[in-house]
Amino acid sequence: MNIGKARVVRSGQGRSVMLMDREMMNRVNDLLTPREDVDPLTLVTEGIRKLANPLSGYADIGDVIKYIEGRLNAPTKEAEELLIKVIKFHRGRFVFAHGGSRRLKIGSSYYGLIKVVSDAETLGTQ
Protein backbone atom coordinates (compact mmCIF):
# COMPACT_ATOMS: atom_id res chain seq x y z
CA MET A 1 0.00 0.00 0.00
CA ASN A 2 1.43 3.41 -1.00
CA ILE A 3 0.87 6.40 1.29
CA GLY A 4 2.33 9.54 -0.29
CA LYS A 5 6.11 9.23 -0.08
CA ALA A 6 6.06 5.96 1.86
CA ARG A 7 5.07 2.39 1.20
CA VAL A 8 3.77 -0.07 3.80
CA VAL A 9 4.85 -3.66 3.12
CA ARG A 10 4.39 -6.95 4.92
CA SER A 11 7.42 -8.06 6.86
CA GLY A 12 7.09 -11.41 8.62
CA GLN A 13 4.17 -11.12 11.07
CA GLY A 14 4.22 -7.33 11.01
CA ARG A 15 4.55 -4.46 8.61
CA SER A 16 7.44 -2.21 7.58
CA VAL A 17 7.46 1.30 6.21
CA MET A 18 9.69 1.97 3.21
CA LEU A 19 10.44 5.59 2.43
CA MET A 20 10.33 6.23 -1.31
CA ASP A 21 11.61 9.80 -1.36
CA ARG A 22 15.32 10.68 -1.02
CA GLU A 23 14.61 13.95 0.83
CA MET A 24 12.39 12.17 3.36
CA MET A 25 15.07 9.49 3.87
CA ASN A 26 17.67 12.19 4.56
CA ARG A 27 15.38 13.86 7.11
CA VAL A 28 14.78 10.61 8.96
CA ASN A 29 18.51 9.78 8.93
CA ASP A 30 19.31 13.24 10.31
CA LEU A 31 16.83 12.71 13.14
CA LEU A 32 18.18 9.26 13.97
CA THR A 33 21.89 10.11 13.70
CA PRO A 34 23.23 11.77 16.84
CA ARG A 35 24.88 15.11 16.24
CA GLU A 36 28.56 15.39 16.84
CA ASP A 37 29.46 17.52 19.87
CA VAL A 38 31.66 20.27 18.52
CA ASP A 39 32.94 23.41 20.15
CA PRO A 40 31.21 26.22 18.22
CA LEU A 41 34.26 28.53 18.27
CA THR A 42 36.53 25.77 16.97
CA LEU A 43 34.02 24.90 14.25
CA VAL A 44 33.74 28.51 13.06
CA THR A 45 37.49 29.26 13.14
CA GLU A 46 38.25 25.96 11.39
CA GLY A 47 35.70 26.77 8.69
CA ILE A 48 37.05 30.27 8.14
CA ARG A 49 40.63 29.06 7.91
CA LYS A 50 39.77 26.26 5.45
CA LEU A 51 37.74 28.56 3.21
CA ALA A 52 39.92 31.67 3.45
CA ASN A 53 41.60 33.25 0.47
CA PRO A 54 45.33 32.50 0.90
CA LEU A 55 46.34 36.07 0.03
CA SER A 56 43.91 38.03 2.18
CA GLY A 57 42.91 35.52 4.86
CA TYR A 58 39.22 36.45 4.44
CA ALA A 59 36.49 33.87 3.88
CA ASP A 60 33.04 34.48 2.44
CA ILE A 61 30.40 34.34 5.21
CA GLY A 62 28.02 32.44 2.92
CA ASP A 63 30.63 29.72 2.42
CA VAL A 64 31.25 29.55 6.18
CA ILE A 65 27.52 29.09 6.80
CA LYS A 66 27.46 26.25 4.23
CA TYR A 67 30.48 24.69 5.96
CA ILE A 68 28.69 24.77 9.32
CA GLU A 69 25.56 23.30 7.73
CA GLY A 70 27.58 20.42 6.31
CA ARG A 71 29.47 19.67 9.51
CA LEU A 72 26.40 19.75 11.75
CA ASN A 73 23.78 18.55 9.26
CA ALA A 74 21.83 21.62 10.31
CA PRO A 75 19.46 23.85 8.36
CA THR A 76 20.72 27.22 7.10
CA LYS A 77 18.86 29.21 9.76
CA GLU A 78 20.45 27.17 12.57
CA ALA A 79 23.92 27.56 11.04
CA GLU A 80 23.44 31.34 10.73
CA GLU A 81 22.32 31.59 14.36
CA LEU A 82 25.33 29.59 15.54
CA LEU A 83 27.70 31.81 13.55
CA ILE A 84 26.10 34.99 14.90
CA LYS A 85 26.26 33.73 18.51
CA VAL A 86 29.94 32.82 18.15
CA ILE A 87 30.73 36.19 16.56
CA LYS A 88 28.89 38.12 19.27
CA PHE A 89 30.46 36.15 22.12
CA HIS A 90 34.02 36.18 20.70
CA ARG A 91 33.90 39.56 18.98
CA GLY A 92 37.62 40.35 19.31
CA ARG A 93 38.67 37.18 17.47
CA PHE A 94 37.27 38.17 14.09
CA VAL A 95 37.81 40.94 11.56
CA PHE A 96 35.13 41.83 9.02
CA ALA A 97 35.17 43.36 5.57
CA HIS A 98 32.60 44.39 2.99
CA GLY A 99 32.11 42.22 -0.08
CA GLY A 100 31.38 38.54 -0.51
CA SER A 101 28.35 36.80 -1.94
CA ARG A 102 26.22 36.92 1.22
CA ARG A 103 26.03 39.65 3.82
CA LEU A 104 25.45 39.34 7.55
CA LYS A 105 24.29 42.27 9.68
CA ILE A 106 26.66 42.84 12.56
CA GLY A 107 25.96 45.96 14.55
CA SER A 108 24.79 48.62 12.12
CA SER A 109 26.76 47.37 9.10
CA TYR A 110 26.48 44.47 6.69
CA TYR A 111 29.61 42.39 6.17
CA GLY A 112 30.28 39.57 3.72
CA LEU A 113 33.85 38.58 4.51
CA ILE A 114 35.32 37.37 7.79
CA LYS A 115 38.84 36.69 8.97
CA VAL A 116 40.20 35.05 12.12
CA VAL A 117 42.70 37.09 14.11
CA SER A 118 46.02 35.23 13.90
CA ASP A 119 46.32 34.66 17.65
CA ALA A 120 42.65 33.83 18.25
CA GLU A 121 43.36 30.54 20.01
CA THR A 122 45.93 32.01 22.41
CA LEU A 123 43.72 34.95 23.44
CA GLY A 124 41.26 32.76 25.34
CA THR A 125 43.86 30.54 27.02
CA GLN A 126 45.79 33.22 28.87
Side-chain angles (χ1 to χ4, degrees), residues 72-113:
L72 298 179
N73 289 325
T76 304
K77 185 75 173 164
E78 194 174 314
E80 286 176 0
E81 289 171 1
L82 176 88
L83 180 62
I84 291 170
K85 285 179 186 177
V86 168
I87 289 170
K88 284 183 177 180
F89 192 74
H90 302 282
R91 188 165 281 169
R93 296 176 184 241
F94 304 103
V95 177
F96 303 96
H98 298 283
S101 64
R102 186 167 182 182
R103 288 169 180 56
L104 194 62
K105 185 173 184 179
I106 301 165
S108 60
S109 298
Y110 287 88
Y111 298 102
L113 300 172

